[in-house]
């Protein structure tokens, strides 16, 4: 065997070993991630109602408006309120409402947030306890994701596991698991996971970060096998060289 043939043999062997190592690393990394069956951004909301029936004489807000606690949302002209006022049975309309100088009921925002829908419009009649609007509370966005996991995969979900949230424009947001609700179906775990992140800021990414946006949620599983140990050691060594 000539030296040229020997060199080709060694080069080919090294190339095969490198490709095998890369393939093993890729499989190992894939094994350490669970991709959601479905996921979307949600936010905590509260419903705006009225304690008195009456005619909506002023609709102060529209869907999409930002409001602060105490801001007026609707003004309702109510004969029932007029009666109670004449009888002196109304000392205050409560924290969510107040009475203006004309004796009308003013419905107020009870927390900071964004109006997501308006049901009652100016000129419509509303009944007591009717749903007038919905306000999404500020700073409450989260991701709800559903996964189908094997028993072994579920056992590898660590506390506050890291989650990479992938938006429709492929931008990513880092989050972590806050709560897991799981049921077992046919030997597999059907997990509903709540993911929280300080990076979920209403309106970011050209408005994609908002309640209702579908996303992918990639859950990092515990992956402490030999391949992971070796790859982490190699990665740390390379980072130490190149900084």
């Amino acid at each position: 065997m000539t030296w040229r043939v020997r060199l080709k043999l060694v080069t080919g062997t090294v190339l095969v070993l490198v490709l095998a190592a890369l393939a093993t690393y890729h499989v190992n990394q894939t094994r350490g991630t669970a991709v959601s069956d479905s996921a979307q951004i949600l936010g905590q909301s509260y419903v705006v109602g009225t304690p008195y029936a009456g005619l909506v004489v002023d609709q102060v807000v529209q869907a999409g408006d930002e409001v602060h606690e105490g801001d007026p949302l609707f003004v309702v002209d109510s004969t029932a309120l007029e009666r109670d006022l004449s009888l002196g049975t109304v000392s205050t309309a409560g924290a969510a409402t107040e009475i203006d100088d004309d004796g009308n009921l003013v419905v107020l925002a009870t927390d900071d947030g964004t109006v997501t829908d308006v049901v009652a419009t100016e000129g419509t009649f509303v009944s007591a306890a009717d749903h007038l609007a919905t306000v999404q509370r500020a700073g409450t966005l989260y991701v709800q994701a559903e996964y189908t996991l094997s028993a072994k995969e579920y056992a590898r979900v660590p506390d506050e596991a890291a989650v990479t949230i992938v938006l429709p424009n492929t931008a990513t947001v880092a989050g972590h698991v806050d709560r897991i609700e799981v049921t077992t179906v046919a030997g597999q775990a059907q997990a509903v996971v709540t993911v929280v992140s300080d990076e979920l800021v209403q309106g970011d990414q050209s408005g994609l970060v908002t309640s209702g946006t579908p996303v992918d949620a990639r859950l990092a599983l515990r992956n402490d096998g030999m391949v992971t140990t070796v790859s982490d050691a190699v990665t740390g060594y390379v980072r130490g060289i190149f900084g």
Side-chain angles (χ1 to χ4, degrees):
M1 182 180 295
T2 65
W3 281 107
R4 184 176 181 180
V5 173
R6 290 175 180 173
L7 181 60
K8 286 184 177 179
L9 180 61
V10 171
T11 302
T13 302
V14 170
L15 182 60
V16 169
L17 290 175
V18 169
L19 291 175
L22 291 175
T24 303
Y25 176 79
H26 175 71
V27 170
N28 186 67
Q29 290 299 104
T30 302
R31 181 175 173 270
T33 304
V35 180
S36 58
D37 299 331
S38 64
Q40 64 176 331
I41 299 174
L42 298 175
Q44 297 176 9
S45 301
Y46 65 90
V47 172
V48 177
T50 170
Y52 282 97
L55 181 69
V56 177
V57 294
D58 193 3
Q59 174 197 333
V60 184
V61 293
Q62 303 285 345
D65 287 353
E66 291 188 7
V67 297
H68 299 283
E69 182 178 358
D71 283 352
L73 305 179
F74 300 92
V75 179
V76 179
D77 181 5
S78 170
T79 55
L81 175 60
E82 289 178 10
R83 181 198 60 217
D84 287 353
L85 287 171
S86 65
L87 295 175
T89 57
V90 178
S91 58
T92 176
T97 58
E98 63 183 15
I99 301 169
D100 65 14
D101 294 339
D102 297 324
N104 293 324
L105 183 76
V106 181
V107 181
L108 308 173
T110 58
D111 205 349
D112 298 350
T114 303
V115 179
T116 56
D117 70 13
V118 174
V119 178
T121 57
E122 186 173 330
T124 60
F125 185 86
V126 294
S127 301
D130 259 2
H131 172 191
L132 307 184
T134 304
V135 177
Q136 179 187 297
R137 286 189 168 90
T140 63
L141 289 179
Y142 65 96
V143 170
Q144 180 171 292
E146 297 183 3
Y147 299 87
T148 301
L149 303 172
S150 68
K152 289 183 179 179
E153 288 174 327
Y154 182 68
R156 292 165 50 213
V157 179
D159 293 338
E160 298 188 351
V163 178
T164 301
I165 302 162
V166 184
L167 299 170
N169 64 352
T170 71
T172 60
V173 174
H176 67 270
V177 172
D178 181 62
R179 186 173 67 251
I180 299 179
E181 297 177 5
V182 62
T183 56
T184 302
V185 178
Q188 291 189 310
Q190 303 293 324
V192 179
V193 177
T194 300
V195 181
V196 295
S197 170
D198 292 337
E199 298 179 23
L200 288 173
V201 178
Q202 176 71 37
D204 271 6
Q205 295 293 329
S206 302
L208 287 176
V209 181
T210 190
S211 181
T213 299
V215 297
D216 285 335
R218 299 173 183 175
L219 173 65
L221 304 177
R222 186 183 298 109
N223 203 4
D224 49 7
M226 184 179 66
V227 174
T228 301
T229 303
V230 172
S231 64
D232 287 347
V234 172
T235 302
Y237 178 74
V238 172
R239 286 177 178 170
I241 294 176
F242 295 100

